[in-house]
Amino acid sequence: MVAGYLELLAYAVEPAGPWDSEAVAHSHFAAGLALALAVVTALLSWVFVKAEWLCRWWLAVPAALALGAIVRLTFLAPDL
């Protein structure tokens, strides 16, 4: 949930103009932190899937969050 919230914040931030580099930096920070949390969540999910406590489809949630964060950091990054 935290990674999803950070990703939502990263997508919600738009710079007010060409001078607003702080908003761009905050967007990159939120997306990077969401990506890191998605990787940690994926690793924990993998452990629980290997222990057969969770089904395989639980790996799709952190994968989708990681994909969304990567897209925000690369293709949909806010420009100045």
Side-chain angles (χ1 to χ4, degrees), residues 30-76:
L33 192 56
L35 180 61
L37 286 173
V39 168
V40 169
T41 306
L43 291 174
L44 285 173
S45 297
W46 179 72
V47 168
F48 289 123
V49 166
K50 281 295 194 183
E52 296 180 357
W53 293 348
L54 293 176
C55 298
R56 285 187 181 267
W57 64 269
W58 277 96
L59 294 173
V61 175
L65 286 171
L67 180 65
I70 289 171
V71 166
R72 180 60 177 180
L73 284 171
T74 56
F75 301 118
L76 297 178

Side-chain angles (χ1 to χ4, degrees), residues 2-3 5-7 9-11 13 21-37 69 72-73 77-78:
V2 175
Y5 178 70
L6 286 170
E7 197 165 322
L9 286 178
Y11 275 99
V13 172
S21 62
E22 187 175 331
V24 174
H26 288 169
S27 174
H28 288 312
F29 179 75
L33 192 56
L35 180 61
L37 286 173
R72 180 60 177 180
L73 284 171

